[in-house]
C-alpha cells in the first residue's frame, strides 16, 4: 500500500487526507469539500475522497488552495471535525456524558459481521450492515465511548450485473487497500496490531485495520497475511460466501480474534454488544479468559451475562446459524485445552433443536449468555419469544427475557440535502439536534405545499438522471444489448407516479407480488392520464436460486411490452443506489409475507424523505402506521395456504393503488400541487422521523442495555 503522496499537497490543504480518512464526512459538512474540490473526479471516484485525492494533480490542488469558497468549506469542515473530537475536553457535553458521566477507559464494543458505512468500503450485504453502520454513526453523534468490531473483506460482497436474459451475475473485485478509508491499527508501542487466533489445530494470524468515524472507531479483522497458509489468507476474503465450514471459521475469527484485538489495543469493554449470532464466539473467548484467570464456570458465566447484550434479527428459522457438533469440535479443537471439564458446559450453551435435530446454534449460545436480549421491532419481539420458547422451559411468553428495541435509521445520513435545507428554513437549524423529539415535528404541516412539492420533484429528477445515466453506462459495456437498457429504466417518465421496491431478493419478501394479476397491473400502469411506474433494485444471495428467479421475473416483466417500458430494474443495489431510490421515488412498496420481516429499514428512510410507505403491517410498520401517514396492505388472510395469502394481499394492494394512491397523486390544484397527497407526505415525515431514527433507537440501547453495565 502506498500512502497518498503528501508532498504534493499545498500546505494550506495539509489536512485534506485526514478529512478523507474520517468517514464522518459522509454526514457532516465534509461532503461539500470534496464536491467542490473537483466535481468530475468526485463523481468518477464513486464519491470516494481517498481515491480522488490520489488521482488529483498539482494544478487542481493549487487551484483549490487559492479558491476562497473552497477554503471556507474546508475550514468549516475541519472546525466541525475538531470540535467533535474535542468534546469533553472543556467543550459542550455529549448526550452520553450528561447521562452516564465523563468516560473512563471503558467502552462499548459492538460486534457485527457487516458494517455499511459508505459504498467505498464494500463490507456489507444489506439491512444488517446498514443498521450496524447507522448505529456506529449515531454512537458518534451521542458521544458513546464505542468501538465497532467486524471484518475487512478485501473482496467484499459481490457487485451485481444482470445477463441479457435477466440472470444475476456476481462479480468480485479486489479492493485496493490504498483507496479505502482505512489504516492499520497500532498498539501502544506503535506496532501493527496482529493477533493469533486458534482455529482447528492451527493458529491463524489476524491483522487489524481501523476506520475512523467521528468519535467512534471501527476495527476490521483481516487474515490476508503472508505468514498464513493460502487457504487461511482467503478466510476473510468475502462476506457470506462459501459453505458452512468457512462460515464457522469466519465466526471463530470474529469472536475470538475480536476479543484478542481489543485487548491488544488496550481496550477494556464494559459492554459487549453482539449484533446477530455471527459474533457469539465472543462469549467463548471471554469465558476462556476468566477460567484461565482462575474463575469457576459459574462465576465466569455470571460475569459474561452481566456485560453481554444480544440483538437478534430474523424470524426466519434458517436465518439463524447452526452447525453440526462435529464441525464445531473440529474448529474449536485447540480452544479446549484451557477449558478442561468446561467444554461440555460450553457446548450445552449452544445446543438447540430448531426442528431438524440438535445442533450448535449461535443464537442459542448468544441468548443463553447475554443479560440483555432484544428483537428489532415489537412484533418481532413477540415472534422471537415464541420461536425460542424452548430456551426458557416453563416461562410464559411475557416472562421470556427478550425485549424489543425497534430499529431506526441515521437521519443525517438518509434525509436528502434539499429536504434538510427546507427543514432548516421552516423548523430552524436546531431540528438537526432535536429530531427524535416528536413534538418538534408538528411544524411540518405549516411548510407551504408548493415548497415541499418543489423539493419532492427535484429529488425525483435526481433519481431519473441517475437511472438514465446508469442505463447508458451499461449500454457501453460489452454484450449487454439494448434490452438491458430498456430494463434499466431508459424509458421511464420523470413525471409519472413512481413506486420503489428495493431490498434483498428472496422468497418471503415477494418481490413479484405486484405482478400477480398482470392485466390488472397493466391497466393501472398504462392509464395515459395517470401513468404509474415501478422501479426495482436488489441483490439475491449468490446461493439463493429462488431469489434469482424472482429477479429474472422482474427483468422479464420490465421487457414485456405489455407494461409499456414503465417497469425497471436498476442493478447493483448499494448504499448509493439506496440513497437515490428512497429519496427520489413517490411511494415505497414493501410486501413481505407476515411475520417474516423482522423490522425493515428502507421504508423508514423513504418515509423521512416524504416517500410514504405502502406496506404489509409487518416489522416496523406494524407499529409505525398511524392511519394517515401511508398505507396498510391487509389482505385479511393468514395461515398456511400461502397461495391464498398471496392472492388476498395482492388484491388489497391493487385496491389501495386504484382507489387511493394513484388518484390522490394526480389530483392537482390549479397550480399543479397535489394537496391531499402532500398531507400524507407531511404525516409521513412528522410521524416517522423522530420515532424511527437511530437517535431514538440508540438512546433506548443506552437506557436499557448499556447504562446498567456502566452504572453498577
Ligand atoms: C436500508 C438498506 C437495506 C435494508 O432495507 P430493508 O427494508 O430492511 O430490506 C438493504 N440494503 C441497502 C443498500 C440499504 O440501504
Amino acid at each position: 500500500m502506498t500512502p497518498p503522496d503528501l508532498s504534493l499537497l499545498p500546505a494550506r490543504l495539509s489536512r485534506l487526507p485526514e478529512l478523507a480518512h474520517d468517514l464522518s464526512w459522509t454526514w457532516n459538512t465534509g461532503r461539500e469539500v470534496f464536491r467542490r474540490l473537483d466535481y468530475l473526479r468526485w463523481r468518477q471516484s464513486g464519491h470516494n475522497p481517498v481515491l480522488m485525492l490520489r488521482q488529483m494533480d498539482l494544478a487542481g490542488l493549487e487551484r483549490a488552495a487559492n479558491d476562497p469558497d473552497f477554503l471556507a468549506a474546508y475550514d468549516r469542515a475541519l472546525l466541525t471535525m475538531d470540535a467533535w473530537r474535542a468534546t469533553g475536553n472543556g467543550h459542550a457535553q455529549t448526550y452520553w456524558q450528561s447521562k452516564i458521566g465523563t468516560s473512563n477507559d471503558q467502552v462499548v464494543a459492538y460486534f457485527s459481521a457487516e458494517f455499511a458505512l459508505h459504498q467505498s468500503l464494500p463490507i456489507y450485504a444489506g439491512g444488517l450492515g446498514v443498521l450496524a453502520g447507522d448505529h456506529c454513526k449515531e454512537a458518534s453523534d451521542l458521544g458513546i465511548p464505542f468501538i465497532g468490531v467486524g471484518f475487512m473483506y478485501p473482496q467484499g460482497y459481490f457487485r451485481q450485473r444482470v445477463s441479457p436474459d435477466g440472470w444475476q451475475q456476481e462479480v468480485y473485485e479486489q479492493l485496493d487497500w490504498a483507496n479505502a478509508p482505512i489504516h492499520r491499527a497500532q498498539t501502544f508501542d506503535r506496532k501493527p496490531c496482529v493477533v493469533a487466533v486458534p482455529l482447528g489445530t492451527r493458529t491463524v494470524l489476524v491483522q487489524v485495520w481501523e476506520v475512523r468515524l467521528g468519535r467512534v472507531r471501527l476495527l476490521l479483522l483481516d487474515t490476508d497475511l503472508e505468514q498464513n497458509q493460502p487457504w487461511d489468507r482467503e478466510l476473510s476474503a468475502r462476506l457470506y460466501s462459501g459453505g458452512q465450514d468457512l462460515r464457522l471459521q469466519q465466526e471463530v475469527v470474529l469472536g475470538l480474534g475480536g476479543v484478542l484485538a481489543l485487548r491488544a489495543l488496550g481496550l477494556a469493554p464494559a459492554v459487549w454488544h453482539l449484533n446477530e449470532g455471527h459474533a457469539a464466539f465472543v462469549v467463548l473467548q471471554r469465558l476462556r479468559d476468566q477460567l484461565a484467570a482462575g474463575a469457576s464456570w459459574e462465576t465466569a458465566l455470571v460475569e459474561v451475562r452481566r456485560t453481554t447484550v444480544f440483538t437478534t434479527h430474523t424470524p426466519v428459522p434458517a436465518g439463524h446459524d447452526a452447525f453440526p457438533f462435529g464441525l464445531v469440535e473440529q474448529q474449536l479443537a485447540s480452544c479446549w485445552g484451557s477449558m478442561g471439564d468446561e467444554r461440555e458446559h460450553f457446548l450445552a450453551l449452544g445446543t438447540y433443536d430448531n426442528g431438524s435435530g440438535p445442533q450448535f446454534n449461535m443464537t442459542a449460545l448468544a441468548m443463553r449468555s447475554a443479560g440483555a436480549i432484544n428483537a428489532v421491532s415489537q412484533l418481532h419481539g413477540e415472534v422471537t419469544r415464541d420461536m425460542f420458547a424452548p430456551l426458557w422451559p416453563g416461562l410464559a411468553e411475557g416472562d421470556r427475557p427478550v425485549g424489543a428495541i425497534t430499529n431506526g435509521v441515521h437521519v443525517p445520513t438518509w434525509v436528502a440535502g434539499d429536504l434538510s435545507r427546507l427543514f432548516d428554513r421552516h423548523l430552524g437549524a436546531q431540528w438537526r439536534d432535536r429530531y427524535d423529539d416528536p413534538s418538534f415535528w408538528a411544524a411540518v404541516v405549516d411548510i407551504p405545499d408548493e415548497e415541499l412539492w418543489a423539493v419532492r420533484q427535484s429529488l425525483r429528477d435526481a433519481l431519473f438522471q441517475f437511472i438514465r445515466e446508469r442505463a447508458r453506462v451499461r449500454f457501453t459495456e460489452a454484450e449487454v444489448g439494448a434490452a438491458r437498457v430498456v430494463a434499466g429504466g431508459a424509458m421511464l417518465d420523470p413525471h409519472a407516479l413512481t413506486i420503489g421496491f428495493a431490498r434483498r431478493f428472496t422468497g418471503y419478501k415477494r418481490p413479484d407480488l405486484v405482478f400477480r394479476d398482470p392485466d390488472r397491473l397493466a391497466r393501472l400502469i398504462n392509464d395515459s392520464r395517470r401513468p404509474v411506474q415501478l422501479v426495482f433494485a436488489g441483490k439475491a444471495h449468490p446461493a439463493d436460486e429462488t431469489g434469482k428467479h424472482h429477479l429474472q421475473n422482474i427483468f422479464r416483466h420490465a421487457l414485456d411490452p405489455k407494461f409499456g417500458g414503465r417497469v425497471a430494474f436498476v442493478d447493483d443495489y448499494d448504499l448509493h443506489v439506496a440513497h437515490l431510490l428512497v429519496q427520489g421515488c413517490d411511494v415505497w412498496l414493501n410486501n413481505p409475507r407476515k411475520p417474516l420481516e423482522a423490522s425493515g429499514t428502507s421504508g423508514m428512510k423513504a418515509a423521512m424523505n416524504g416517500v410514504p410507505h405502502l406496506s404489509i403491517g409487518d416489522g416496523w410498520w406494524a407499529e409505525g402506521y398511524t392511519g394517515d401517514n401511508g398505507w396498510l396492505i391487509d389482505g385479511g388472510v393468514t395461515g398456511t395456504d400461502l397461495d391464498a395469502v398471496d392472492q388476498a394481499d395482492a388484491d388489497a394492494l391493487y385496491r389501495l393503488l386504484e382507489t387511493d394512491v394513484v388518484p390522490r397523486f394526480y389530483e392537482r390544484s390549479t397550480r399543479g400541487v397535489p394537496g391531499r397527497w402532500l398531507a400524507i407526505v407531511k404525516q409521513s415525515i412528522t410521524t416517522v422521523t423522530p420515532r424511527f431514527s437511530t437517535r431514538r433507537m440508540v438512546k433506548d440501547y443506552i437506557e436499557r442495555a448499556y447504562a446498567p453495565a456502566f452504572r453498577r
Side-chain angles (χ1 to χ4, degrees):
M1 159 175 155
T2 45
D5 187 358
L6 295 181
S7 61
L8 274 183
L9 274 179
R12 182 73 172 80
L13 305 183
S14 61
R15 294 186 69 194
L16 261 182
E18 189 186 341
L19 201 59
H21 274 87
D22 183 334
L23 277 176
S24 64
W25 70 258
T26 60
W27 76 96
N28 279 323
T29 43
R31 177 185 299 270
E32 202 43 39
V33 175
F34 300 112
R35 282 173 64 110
R36 279 173 189 264
L37 183 59
D38 185 331
Y39 188 62
L40 191 63
R41 282 211 171 82
W42 167 246
R43 302 253 327 244
Q44 284 170 344
S45 69
H47 301 176
N48 176 354
V50 176
L51 173 60
M52 178 183 164
L53 285 186
R54 294 184 76 212
Q55 294 173 339
M56 291 290 294
D57 52 27
L58 197 55
L61 291 165
E62 291 289 355
R63 213 170 23 250
N66 292 302
D67 170 358
D69 286 344
F70 174 81
L71 291 174
Y74 171 71
D75 291 339
R76 211 163 36 238
L78 288 179
L79 216 63
T80 310
M81 188 170 77
D82 290 342
W84 267 53
R85 292 181 179 177
T87 359
N89 306 330
H91 291 68
Q93 283 201 323
T94 64
Y95 175 83
W96 175 266
Q97 287 165 338
S98 66
K99 287 282 165 185
I100 313 294
T102 41
S103 78
N104 42 28
D105 292 340
Q106 294 192 312
V107 297
V108 174
Y110 179 92
F111 284 73
S112 178
E114 45 172 314
F115 286 91
L117 302 167
H118 187 257
Q119 58 267 16
S120 61
L121 203 56
I123 55 170
Y124 63 93
L128 183 71
V130 177
L131 183 82
D134 280 12
H135 194 123
C136 293
K137 292 173 181 176
E138 192 66 52
S140 173
D141 289 349
L142 293 176
I144 307 178
F146 191 92
I147 308 275
V149 183
F151 262 119
M152 183 61 238
Y153 307 99
Q155 296 178 28
Y157 200 50
F158 65 93
R159 310 283 312 254
Q160 182 191 53
R161 289 292 181 274
V162 181
S163 74
D165 64 344
W167 198 250
Q168 172 175 293
Q169 318 282 305
E170 291 106 26
V171 182
Y172 288 92
E173 285 171 5
Q174 179 74 26
L175 183 81
D176 182 344
W177 307 89
N179 295 340
I182 57 176
H183 58 273
R184 280 176 208 278
Q186 288 190 336
T187 55
F188 282 122
D189 46 0
R190 302 216 154 264
K191 299 224 175 64
C193 179
V194 176
V195 297
V197 177
L199 189 63
T201 51
R202 63 194 191 280
T203 298
V204 175
L205 295 184
V206 176
Q207 63 180 332
V208 185
W209 297 88
E210 190 173 310
V211 178
R212 179 118 203 192
L213 195 69
R215 300 184 178 106
V216 159
R217 286 189 296 160
L218 189 59
L219 306 178
L220 301 177
L221 311 181
D222 168 26
T223 62
D224 188 14
L225 279 150
E226 273 176 19
Q227 300 93 313
N228 286 331
Q229 297 293 336
W231 50 89
D232 286 334
R233 296 184 67 166
E234 290 279 305
L235 259 182
S236 67
R238 297 174 179 185
L239 170 62
Y240 303 148
S241 78
Q244 254 194 335
D245 199 10
L246 181 62
R247 179 83 160 229
L248 176 59
Q249 294 185 52
Q250 285 190 335
E251 294 183 1
V252 174
V253 171
L254 178 60
L256 274 58
V259 177
L260 297 172
L262 287 164
R263 186 184 312 148
L265 293 169
L267 295 160
V271 172
W272 304 73
H273 188 167
L274 313 179
N275 189 42
E276 190 58 313
H278 308 134
F281 283 129
V282 163
V283 167
L284 172 60
Q285 182 59 36
R286 296 190 59 216
L287 288 168
R288 292 177 70 206
D289 289 342
Q290 310 225 6
L291 295 172
S296 69
W297 172 262
E298 287 72 22
T299 317
L301 191 56
V302 166
E303 175 58 17
V304 167
R305 282 207 179 114
R306 191 183 65 75
T307 48
T308 300
V309 175
F310 173 57
T311 304
T312 178
H313 286 270
T314 176
V316 182
H320 296 265
D321 278 341
F323 303 103
F325 288 104
L327 206 58
V328 176
E329 297 263 4
Q330 192 191 334
Q331 294 304 344
L332 297 182
S334 47
C335 287
W336 305 125
S338 59
M339 290 194 62
D341 298 339
E342 316 304 352
R343 162 183 166 166
E344 292 310 315
H345 289 153
F346 178 74
L347 288 177
L349 284 180
T351 300
Y352 189 75
D353 184 349
N354 65 5
S356 44
Q359 284 191 308
F360 191 87
N361 185 300
M362 297 298 280
T363 303
L365 169 62
M367 286 192 176
R368 287 199 183 102
S369 38
I373 306 170
N374 72 282
V376 292
S377 71
Q378 305 306 312
L379 179 60
H380 179 223
E382 287 169 32
V383 174
T384 304
R385 287 189 289 272
D386 190 44
M387 189 168 151
F388 282 95
L391 284 180
W392 304 284
L395 284 192
E397 199 253 34
D399 297 331
R400 295 175 202 145
V402 178
I405 296 180
T406 304
N407 282 347
V409 298
H410 186 241
V411 171
T413 293
W414 290 105
V415 172
D418 285 357
L419 200 57
S420 299
R421 285 183 285 277
L422 184 73
F423 294 158
D424 283 344
R425 286 201 297 281
H426 292 282
L427 309 179
Q430 67 271 32
W431 79 270
R432 292 173 186 263
D433 292 322
R434 292 184 51 193
Y435 51 76
D436 63 328
D437 177 355
S439 64
F440 194 73
W441 289 91
V444 167
V445 275
D446 299 327
I447 297 178
D449 281 359
E450 283 77 7
E451 287 186 44
L452 180 56
W453 185 235
V455 171
R456 290 288 337 135
Q457 304 261 64
S458 74
L459 293 173
R460 180 153 16 77
D461 279 349
L463 170 64
F464 283 97
Q465 270 183 35
F466 168 78
I467 289 178
R468 268 196 302 272
E469 176 61 11
R470 176 156 287 191
R472 196 190 65 76
V473 169
R474 292 293 179 262
F475 181 62
T476 65
E477 292 173 358
E479 291 167 48
V480 161
R484 187 67 199 79
V485 177
V486 170
M491 300 202 296
L492 295 176
D493 171 356
H495 303 291
L497 170 62
T498 303
I499 301 176
F501 181 102
R503 46 185 43 85
R504 187 158 53 89
F505 271 68
T506 188
Y508 80 83
K509 295 192 186 232
R510 299 188 292 188
D512 36 15
L513 186 77
V514 70
F515 292 98
R516 193 165 168 104
D517 183 342
D519 294 328
R520 193 166 172 187
L521 179 65
R523 276 196 299 280
L524 258 168
I525 283 185
N526 293 321
D527 184 326
S528 55
R529 287 180 28 235
R530 305 189 308 192
V532 175
Q533 49 198 15
L534 294 162
V535 178
F536 290 86
K539 294 173 174 178
H541 184 278
D544 184 356
E545 292 286 310
T546 314
K548 291 185 191 180
H549 278 290
H550 283 296
L551 196 160
Q552 188 172 39
N553 281 343
I554 300 293
F555 191 85
R556 289 182 175 157
H557 292 311
L559 288 180
D560 187 343
K562 179 182 196 132
F563 298 115
R566 298 197 201 276
V567 174
F569 180 80
V570 179
D571 66 13
D572 207 26
Y573 184 47
D574 68 355
L575 283 178
H576 184 53
V577 178
H579 268 92
L580 288 150
L581 284 170
V582 299
Q583 295 170 0
C585 290
D586 295 298
V587 183
W588 199 252
L589 176 63
N590 179 41
N591 47 228
R593 199 171 270 137
K594 193 173 174 176
L596 297 183
E597 185 77 280
S599 167
T601 52
S602 59
M604 302 171 183
K605 302 167 194 166
M608 291 176 185
N609 279 292
V611 178
H613 207 208
L614 168 60
S615 172
I616 299 280
D618 198 9
W620 77 279
W621 197 232
E623 62 202 87
Y625 178 63
T626 57
D628 61 1
N629 63 348
W631 296 271
L632 182 71
I633 307 169
D634 184 3
V637 176
T638 55
T640 51
D641 183 351
L642 298 183
D643 198 53
V645 173
D646 290 356
Q647 183 60 45
D649 286 346
D651 265 344
L653 168 58
Y654 293 133
R655 222 172 313 118
L656 283 172
L657 288 171
E658 290 159 353
T659 61
D660 195 24
V661 178
V662 180
R664 217 182 245 272
F665 182 82
Y666 284 106
E667 184 187 303
R668 303 291 165 92
S669 71
T670 45
R671 278 167 306 176
V673 175
R676 288 204 313 128
W677 179 265
L678 291 174
I680 292 196
V681 167
K682 287 177 173 179
Q683 280 306 310
S684 168
I685 294 170
T686 306
T687 58
V688 173
T689 317
R691 283 181 62 202
F692 299 98
S693 62
T694 43
R695 176 77 36 107
R696 188 274 309 149
M697 176 187 89
V698 174
K699 283 183 178 176
D700 280 352
Y701 276 104
I702 292 175
E703 299 274 311
R704 291 162 56 185
Y706 300 163
F710 272 84
R711 282 194 190 119
R712 82 174 160 130

